[in-house]
Amino acid sequence: MRDPPAPLIFPRTVDASRGTNQSGVKLYNKSLVLSLIRRYGSLSKTEIARRTGLSTQTGSVIMKQLEDDGLLIRKEPMRGKVGQPSIPMALNPEGAFSIGCKFGRRSAELVLMDFVGRARRMVRTTYAFPAPNALEQFIRSGVSEITTDLSKQQLGRICGLGVAAPFEMWGWEAEVGAPHEVLEAWRAYDIRASVEKLVPWPVHFCNDATAAGGAELAFGSGARYANFLYIFIATLIGGGVVLNGSLYPGRAGYAGAFGSILVPNASGSRPFQSLIRCASLYILENMMRSEGKDPSVLWRSPDDWSEAGSTLGGWIGQATDSLSVAIVSAISVIDFDAIVIDGAFPKSIRSAIVEQTREKFGRMETLGVAPVDIVEGMIGSDARVLGAASLPFLADFSQDRELLFRING
């Protein structure tokens, strides 16, 4: 088994949004330019120089190199101003590709993503419980399927494979409902090292909820909020933390372990219990079983949970009672701009959860804490696999890559 992730270091001696003309940081400046263009869609050389503090000549050289590398493409010239028309540059969708794998406790997905973050192909499978051999079989068959139509040139532009999976997969045996020996197999199983033996690309590994938060940052609420707590409700509820526009994994990669927050326990012998035990989807599964319903619909039909019937309403009420309490605890530590709630369920259920959580939070005692928005996530069930596919791009092309990827050792 691998040692725990190494402690993260957060160098902030200079403004991370500014560039430098020193020759020793060319790669950083390239990453900075790509990150800015990704954020704004397209930028001219003049705009790059203004936003980074690089000289116009240095910015022009970098953008020409990125264009020659196939990472940037020219857009139509912007006319109507004095002087030469400005030519905005944008990311080339064919400039690079990545593969993302989400391997969870009930389902797995693989996606091929292009350089602008568009999913080109996706495959999905479901199972009753996770097993290491199932992960390897899915990687082999799924990678072959999603890359079969790629040209030789496109294959050569795949920069890596990201894997998003729960930490400590062997935990929560009773809640997951898997055989003891299957879950114990995960204890000595190194996900990253095992996947590296199956593919020819660099492999990056991240907690699944943290990866989902990365997808929300890159493709969703990151455009509106620089600081937010991300909550993802799946078989077990989890989360991620975004601070100053960057995903913050914490000292050991566990930041945003929202499910571990203690909340009042109204029905048990102990006065408190973890949020996992009252706001996770396995609770809904158990409720459906006790009422003679088939809970497999929850992971077989991500867009239609009508078979859950009235059981669903009872679970939402219970989950949001505890969510509202846990949110107060979270914002008492960090004054987030927003709480972003998403999960592995249909959009209508997400809306109901956010609405009830917002209403119940409004009745809580919040004296001494800053106001916070409680909003819906924008990605949905695919957040974890899209976040996984973002890992290679962040590792290779983002100026903030050290904030997340130092956990890869």
Side-chain angles (χ1 to χ4, degrees):
M1 184 175 67
R2 293 183 68 202
D3 293 332
L8 296 167
I9 300 173
F10 299 92
R12 281 290 179 266
T13 56
V14 296
D15 184 350
S17 68
R18 307 297 289 176
T20 172
N21 291 307
Q22 297 177 18
S23 59
V25 289
K26 290 182 179 179
L27 290 178
Y28 176 88
N29 285 337
K30 286 185 177 181
S31 298
L32 175 60
V33 169
L34 288 171
S35 296
L36 287 170
I37 292 176
R38 183 177 296 278
R39 180 184 304 172
Y40 293 102
S42 63
L43 291 172
S44 68
K45 297 174 183 178
T46 302
E47 290 172 318
I48 284 291
R50 178 173 59 84
R51 293 182 182 276
T52 62
L54 295 167
S55 68
T56 302
Q57 180 181 3
T58 299
S60 297
V61 169
I62 290 173
M63 295 182 78
K64 179 63 167 61
Q65 291 173 340
L66 293 171
E67 183 182 15
D68 292 343
D69 291 340
L71 297 174
L72 295 181
I73 53 176
R74 294 172 181 248
K75 307 290 285 187
E76 288 296 320
M78 299 176 62
R79 305 181 186 279
K81 297 182 179 181
V82 178
Q84 293 292 324
S86 176
I87 302 177
M89 305 289 284
L91 299 181
N92 178 7
E94 297 281 321
F97 295 90
S98 70
I99 295 174
C101 174
K102 185 279 291 186
F103 195 79
R105 292 182 170 90
R106 292 288 186 260
S107 64
E109 292 94 34
L110 263 168
V111 66
L112 174 70
M113 178 185 283
D114 65 24
F115 199 41
V116 298
R118 183 170 57 243
R120 294 288 185 97
R121 292 197 66 179
M122 185 180 294
V123 293
R124 190 171 189 270
T125 187
T126 61
Y127 35 77
F129 52 82
N133 63 334
L135 168 62
E136 295 181 10
Q137 292 171 6
F138 182 61
I139 292 285
R140 288 192 188 96
S141 62
V143 167
S144 175
E145 183 174 345
I146 65 175
T147 61
T148 186
D149 294 330
L150 295 183
S151 67
K152 183 177 180 179
Q153 182 180 28
Q154 289 173 322
L155 283 171
R157 287 188 171 271
I158 296 177
C159 63
L161 186 150
V163 180
F167 285 173
E168 301 180 5
M169 189 81 83
W170 56 89
W172 304 94
E173 181 177 323
E175 291 75 13
V176 175
H180 174 75
E181 62 274 13
V182 173
L183 289 187
E184 275 300 300
W186 288 104
R187 195 180 293 274
Y189 186 81
D190 188 325
I191 291 179
R192 183 187 178 201
S194 299
V195 174
E196 283 179 333
K197 297 176 182 178
L198 305 177
V199 298
W201 311 291
V203 174
H204 306 277
F205 175 64
C206 185
N207 174 264
D208 58 340
T210 303
E216 186 69 32
L217 171 63
F219 309 120
S221 299
R224 296 173 57 197
Y225 302 106
N227 304 280
F228 62 89
L229 172 65
Y230 178 78
I231 301 170
F232 194 88
I233 303 173
T235 303
L236 303 181
I237 188 172
V241 173
V242 171
L243 296 177
N244 300 319
S246 295
L247 196 61
Y248 176 76
R251 174 183 58 83
Y254 285 76
F258 190 67
S260 296
I261 289 181
L262 295 179
V263 295
N265 183 3
S267 58
S269 57
R270 297 180 178 180
F272 297 96
Q273 63 181 341
S274 69
L275 186 64
I276 281 177
R277 298 189 184 280
C278 47
S280 299
L281 289 180
Y282 87 85
I283 301 292
L284 177 57
E285 293 178 17
N286 292 342
M287 292 170 67
M288 292 179 66
R289 286 193 189 94
S290 68
E291 297 176 8
K293 299 174 182 177
D294 180 9
S296 67
V297 65
L298 301 181
W299 60 87
R300 285 190 293 103
S301 305
D303 297 321
D304 181 10
W305 283 11
S306 57
E307 293 181 37
S310 60
T311 311
L312 183 58
W315 172 78
I316 291 175
Q318 171 184 310
T320 53
D321 283 346
S322 299
L323 270 175
S324 58
V325 174
I327 288 171
V328 174
S329 297
I331 65 173
S332 298
V333 178
I334 299 177
D335 52 346
F336 295 104
D337 300 322
I339 307 296
V340 181
I341 301 176
D342 211 338
F345 36 53
K347 294 180 180 179
S348 59
I349 295 173
R350 180 178 67 195
S351 297
I353 290 173
V354 170
E355 181 180 354
Q356 289 195 33
T357 301
R358 190 185 292 141
E359 189 272 330
K360 292 173 182 177
F361 175 81
R363 302 200 302 262
M364 301 292 295
E365 173 62 69
T366 57
L367 186 65
V369 299
V372 65
D373 294 338
I374 300 177
V375 299
E376 293 185 45
M378 301 174 65
I379 312 299
S381 296
D382 293 336
R384 290 167 295 178
V385 69
L386 294 179
S390 301
L391 301 184
F393 287 159
L394 288 172
D396 287 352
F397 304 114
S398 170
Q399 86 272 14
D400 284 331
R401 60 191 180 279
E402 74 276 9
L403 299 183
L404 180 58
F405 296 99
R406 199 178 297 272
I407 64 175
N408 283 321

